Amino acid sequence: MIENSKSLSYAAAGVDITAGYRAVELMKSHIARTMTAGVCSDVGGFGGLFELDLEGIAKPVLVSGTDGVGTKLKLAFLMDKHDTVGIDCVAMCVNDIICCGAKPLFFLDYIACGKNIPERIESIVSGVCEGCVQSGAALIGGETAEMPGFYPEDEYDLAGYCTGIVDKNKIIDNGKMDEGDVIIALPSSGVHSNGFSLVRKVFDVENADLKKPLPELDGKSLGETLLTPTKIYVKPVLELLKKVKVKGISHITGGGFYENIPRSIPDGLCAEIDKSAVRVLPIFKLIAKTGGISERDMFNTFNMGVGMSIVVSAEDAPLALEILRAQGEDAYTIGRIVRGQDKIKLC
């Protein structure tokens, strides 16, 4: 029985295995929120089990994605706020796999820390569970590793992995993309989870007053703004896919517009983005001004207020916008597909 599992020698080396058991007990109520019909196992087993429901899926294809939160975690440490980075972790994975039309099924997380403080682990996992709820994925497993001497006691790293499913006949195919198609933007909630090494340098966050309200951020503090969790687009996009033929989706992460939008554009075509149409969020204007960063570098590093771009035919664009807006997304058009070899052009 784990109640009898304890090691004074291991504890003397800096690893308290009983703290791990306590953390699991604290997170169980959060994990319960994520349970879906396919889950076949309880927390604490050696593997997470999930039964596939293949009804209505002619040729099932599993799609996987993995990612972390990156140095945004440094802001969580400085703010001592840990309940939102888990949303970021889930978002970075599920937003990727939705780009090929996959519905997330389940998620696993990995937390490595210098010291296992059960209440802090619970806070982290509560965010993971919230991200799972938002995306419809079940949290079926994970790992918390206490690694004294490797991480400082008050720091940790967080990564995750998700699996989704899509019918092979419904995988988003950019081969159908054509000149004249419309590019739709889904607004981001902020910096999301990319570019934080530059953000931290620009604002010297270790020495900044992260809790001071700033007029440039509509009265919000820098810390609050930067910790705003990554938006999860799964449910609106899945709803769109039911009714509209989507020709391409890009999750705009590290590398900004210049790296991510071309990933969904086939050879011979180019995404022509109207920069004046992009609704740039105040935080990006403040980053550019404070750091003296060029417009080109901003669009090549950050999402600039656009977390996801979707390509549909001009004929389907009005319906696509209507569906996305009905799902709570303030979607709008930012460009069109033209002939060209560059795959992206901002003008």
Side-chain angles (χ1 to χ4, degrees), residues 329-345:
E329 291 295 329
D330 190 15
Y332 63 99
T333 60
I334 55 170
R336 63 194 181 100
I337 300 298
V338 298
R339 295 288 173 188
Q341 299 301 317
D342 293 336
K343 291 201 173 184
I344 187 167
K345 178 171 64 174

Side-chain angles (χ1 to χ4, degrees), residues 295-330:
E295 182 182 72
R296 176 63 166 73
D297 282 356
M298 289 296 296
F299 274 95
N300 204 169
T301 307
F302 302 106
N303 68 63
M304 299 300 285
V306 179
M308 188 162 277
S309 66
I310 300 174
V311 178
V312 299
S313 69
E315 180 183 10
D316 286 338
L319 176 59
L321 290 168
E322 179 183 337
I323 293 168
L324 290 166
R325 288 167 181 167
Q327 292 296 309
E329 291 295 329
D330 190 15

Side-chain angles (χ1 to χ4, degrees), residues 247-291:
K247 301 184 179 185
I249 303 179
S250 289
H251 181 202
I252 303 180
T253 56
F257 279 53
Y258 283 101
E259 285 191 21
N260 291 289
I261 292 181
R263 294 168 69 180
S264 66
I265 309 298
D267 292 342
L269 294 177
C270 173
E272 186 177 78
I273 305 296
D274 179 2
K275 286 188 294 186
S276 67
V278 177
R279 300 172 186 173
V280 179
L281 294 175
I283 183 60
F284 297 111
K285 297 176 182 178
L286 184 60
I287 292 170
K289 179 181 178 181
T290 305

Side-chain angles (χ1 to χ4, degrees), residues 171-198:
I171 295 173
I172 295 174
D173 177 14
N174 67 4
K176 303 295 179 64
M177 200 176 293
D178 202 359
E179 184 178 15
D181 288 342
V182 171
I183 305 169
I184 294 174
L186 298 187
S188 71
S189 56
V191 183
H192 284 185
S193 300
N194 301 101
F196 272 86
S197 293
L198 178 55

Side-chain angles (χ1 to χ4, degrees), residues 227-246:
L227 272 185
T228 301
T230 305
K231 196 169 187 179
I232 292 176
Y233 301 100
V234 170
K235 292 181 179 179
V237 172
L238 286 177
E239 194 63 30
L240 176 67
L241 292 174
K242 294 177 183 177
K243 302 171 184 176
V244 172
K245 179 64 177 178
V246 173

Side-chain angles (χ1 to χ4, degrees), residues 71-234:
T71 63
K72 183 175 186 174
L73 291 175
K74 288 286 189 179
L75 271 297
F77 305 155
L78 291 167
M79 296 287 288
D80 193 22
K81 180 173 172 56
H82 311 282
D83 60 346
T84 60
V85 290
I87 301 176
D88 291 297
C89 188
V90 176
M92 296 305 291
C93 298
V94 298
N95 284 345
D96 274 356
I97 71 168
I98 194 64
C99 290
C100 61
K103 175 185 177 181
L105 296 174
F106 57 82
F107 190 85
L108 294 94
D109 62 358
Y110 176 79
I111 304 168
C113 57
K115 183 177 178 59
N116 187 331
I117 301 173
E119 292 75 17
R120 185 170 63 195
I121 299 299
E122 176 196 13
S123 185
I124 298 167
V125 174
S126 74
V128 173
C129 292
E130 175 59 28
C132 286
V133 169
Q134 289 184 24
S135 61
L139 181 61
I140 65 169
E143 175 71 12
T144 300
E146 191 171 17
M147 301 169 65
F150 195 90
Y151 293 97
E153 286 194 358
D154 58 349
E155 294 191 3
Y156 56 85
D157 200 2
L158 173 63
Y161 164 87
C162 70
T163 293
I165 191 168
V166 62
D167 195 318
K168 188 174 183 179
N169 300 317
K170 296 180 180 179
I171 295 173
I172 295 174
D173 177 14
N174 67 4
K176 303 295 179 64
M177 200 176 293
D178 202 359
E179 184 178 15
D181 288 342
V182 171
I183 305 169
I184 294 174
L186 298 187
S188 71
S189 56
V191 183
H192 284 185
S193 300
N194 301 101
F196 272 86
S197 293
L198 178 55
V199 167
R200 288 166 44 238
K201 178 181 179 182
V202 165
F203 293 119
D204 187 19
V205 295
E206 283 78 8
N207 299 302
D209 184 352
L210 297 175
K211 297 184 178 181
K212 178 183 178 181
L214 298 177
E216 299 95 329
L217 301 177
D218 300 323
K220 293 183 178 181
S221 70
L222 181 61
E224 177 188 5
T225 301
L226 293 176
L227 272 185
T228 301
T230 305
K231 196 169 187 179
I232 292 176
Y233 301 100
V234 170

Side-chain angles (χ1 to χ4, degrees), residues 17-40:
I17 57 178
T18 61
Y21 304 145
R22 170 64 176 157
V24 170
E25 288 302 314
L26 290 174
M27 67 177 72
K28 280 184 176 179
S29 63
H30 301 292
I31 295 172
R33 296 178 57 218
T34 76
M35 293 297 98
T36 61
V39 178
C40 302

